[in-house]
Amino acid sequence: DADVTQTPRNRITKTGKRIMLECSQTKGHDRMYWYRQDPGLGLQLIYYSFDVKDINKGEISDGYSVSRQAQAKFSLSLESAIPNQTALYFCATSDPRGGGEDTQYFGPGTRLTVL
Amino acid sequence: GQSLEQPSEVTAVEGAIVQINCTYQTSGFYGLSWYQQHDGGAPTFLSYNGLDGLEETGRFSSFLSRSDSYGYLLLQELQMKDSASYFCAVDNYGQNFVFGPGTRLSVLP
């Protein structure tokens, strides 16, 4: 079984609809992240969480919200979807080690299309 | 602000060696990571440099120079399966990561 799972894998919705993307992990990591990737571009950080009570905005948080329901679950919501939120969304977890090295483990991604 | 620069595309032939450069300007820095992403797939971790110098992992090596705000990924004995996008990412004081725009590597037969 995959360590980091995302649901749904694909979603088509209409402008103005509320959408929730879910992420679950079995790695036991405290840190979880949501990224957005547009075609041909890098990953932009939307939100990140170091534990259930610690939520932080990333570089492009406007129009998005998150919920950390448990250590293993981190959801991303689009309150009122708009077409320029059409993108590939990745969830990731990490577990920084004492020496500073921090590896991110990514889920398979959710392809979201807003019409 | 924080920014990373990488070449957008690199092309090489099977068996060759290719170097993908990354320069960065960030307010916080713990280290530089490299990730590989095949079309339609998720990024996967390749290497991390927390200190200056060369880190070697099989056919892949990564280098960091903190004084130059520069790093590179070196891929040796290229194989067709190495065709993918490669991203450098700065570890921002252990808080989060800032990713570069990615370099698309095409390996030709």
Side-chain angles (χ1 to χ4, degrees), chain A residues 84-97:
Chain A
N84 76 1
Q85 290 178 313
T86 293
L88 186 56
Y89 290 85
F90 286 104
C91 172
T93 73
S94 74
D95 179 27
R97 304 169 203 178

Side-chain angles (χ1 to χ4, degrees), chain A residues 33-62:
Chain A
Y33 307 78
W34 275 105
Y35 291 93
R36 165 182 173 154
Q37 186 174 38
D38 294 285
L41 298 180
L43 296 153
Q44 294 177 282
L45 183 62
I46 306 172
Y47 272 95
Y48 60 104
S49 169
F50 286 175
D51 65 39
V52 174
K53 297 182 180 180
D54 181 24
I55 305 290
N56 303 280
K57 292 183 177 180
E59 55 191 308
I60 57 162
S61 58
D62 287 349

Side-chain angles (χ1 to χ4, degrees), chain A residues 58-105:
Chain A
E59 55 191 308
I60 57 162
S61 58
D62 287 349
Y64 302 94
S65 63
V66 291
S67 172
R68 184 81 183 266
Q69 302 93 325
Q71 186 206 36
K73 296 185 181 296
F74 192 35
S75 299
L76 176 72
S77 293
L78 289 68
E79 298 300 327
S80 179
I82 56 177
N84 76 1
Q85 290 178 313
T86 293
L88 186 56
Y89 290 85
F90 286 104
C91 172
T93 73
S94 74
D95 179 27
R97 304 169 203 178
E101 178 176 344
D102 189 0
T103 299
Q104 300 226 304
Y105 299 89

Side-chain angles (χ1 to χ4, degrees), chain B residues 39-58:
Chain B
D39 285 348
T44 57
F45 173 79
L46 289 177
S47 69
Y48 175 87
N49 292 75
L51 301 173
D52 284 1
L54 193 67
E55 293 284 339
E56 298 181 71
T57 308

Side-chain angles (χ1 to χ4, degrees), chain A residues 10-51:
Chain A
N10 288 282
R11 181 72 184 267
I12 300 174
T13 190
K14 294 182 179 180
T15 297
K17 294 291 187 181
R18 184 178 188 276
I19 297 296
M20 178 180 286
L21 310 183
E22 300 188 352
C23 177
S24 295
Q25 53 114 347
T26 59
K27 300 188 75 65
H29 291 170
D30 287 327
R31 298 187 176 194
M32 297 187 73
Y33 307 78
W34 275 105
Y35 291 93
R36 165 182 173 154
Q37 186 174 38
D38 294 285
L41 298 180
L43 296 153
Q44 294 177 282
L45 183 62
I46 306 172
Y47 272 95
Y48 60 104
S49 169
F50 286 175
D51 65 39

Side-chain angles (χ1 to χ4, degrees), chain B residues 20-31:
Chain B
I20 299 174
N21 298 321
C22 174
T23 58
Y24 59 88
Q25 289 185 320
T26 59
S27 56
F29 184 86
Y30 268 179

